[in-house]
Amino acid sequence: MEKIRATAVYLPTGRQGGGMSSVVASGHWVLPESPYALWARGELDEHLRLSEVLRVEVIGGEFVVTPHPSYGHAATVSDIQEAVFRAEFTHPSYPWRAVQTVGLDLAEIGDGYVPDLVMTASEVESAILPEAKDRHLRPEEISLVAEVTAPLSAHYDRRAKRHGYARAGVPYYLLVDRDPRRPGVTLFGEPNRGDGTHEVLGEWEFGESVRLPEPFGVEIGTDAWKAWSA
């Protein structure tokens, strides 16, 4: 077995100065295989002896552990999902489904993410459900991925994961940034797999309606969206 360099982000239960303190820990763990290989089989949590209240991903070949999101974060993700639900209810033939916090296997680049939300075509969902069991989704099975930033993981959403989604060929990436220094929404598309980049297709401020273009045709209200507390 070799020593695998990994990065973990932990949110302790203690409070300092009235606020929640955070610690970023970097070190070495002895793992029987690469973090990605263990993640893909659902065994990385067990090897790291993680609490169930933590989320583990493999980003850039290293594992990253973050706490489950706050209520404000989760409510923002739910607003996106509910916009898709409204489109489904209004138009029974609407061909898209939105699912939260599902594992996404980026085997081509050796990463494994847990995006806040993905959109898949109904026909894709119908094809994979009979055999899905507990397997992760693959990039070719999703049409849009959405991430909502949090204080401890925003830099991954803005850079490393955006790069990974582009390299994996994910067609659209919706980034909701709740950072009080730069709150807003950006839609990326037209991925360049070689460079790992997307084109910016749209930008909105909180309070404006986000319109996902065709083929989605969804309008998302952001009036209730707020930056996280500084």
Side-chain angles (χ1 to χ4, degrees), residues 118-164:
V118 300
M119 289 183 66
T120 65
S122 299
E123 61 184 20
V124 171
E125 182 183 68
S126 297
I128 65 176
L129 276 179
E131 53 83 28
K133 297 183 180 178
D134 293 326
R135 80 164 174 85
H136 303 301
L137 289 178
R138 305 182 184 107
E140 64 270 18
E141 294 170 335
I142 68 171
S143 298
L144 178 145
V145 63
E147 297 280 11
V148 177
T149 65
L152 295 178
S153 58
H155 61 292
Y156 291 113
D157 294 335
R158 298 189 195 113
R159 296 181 179 85
K161 293 180 78 172
R162 175 184 166 192
H163 179 70

Side-chain angles (χ1 to χ4, degrees), residues 13 43 50 75 101 140 154 195 206 229:
T13 57
E43 298 174 4
L50 294 177
T101 54
E140 64 270 18
D195 294 340
F206 286 0
S229 298

Side-chain angles (χ1 to χ4, degrees), residues 89-109:
F89 181 78
T90 305
H91 306 287
S93 61
Y94 188 73
W96 302 101
R97 292 277 291 164
V99 182
Q100 293 190 36
T101 54
V102 62
L104 180 61
D105 188 346
L106 286 73
E108 183 177 342
I109 63 173

Side-chain angles (χ1 to χ4, degrees), residues 8-12 16 20-26 65 67 152:
V9 181
Y10 295 98
L11 189 62
Q16 296 179 356
M20 185 71 77
S21 62
S22 62
V23 175
V24 178
S26 180
V65 182
L152 295 178

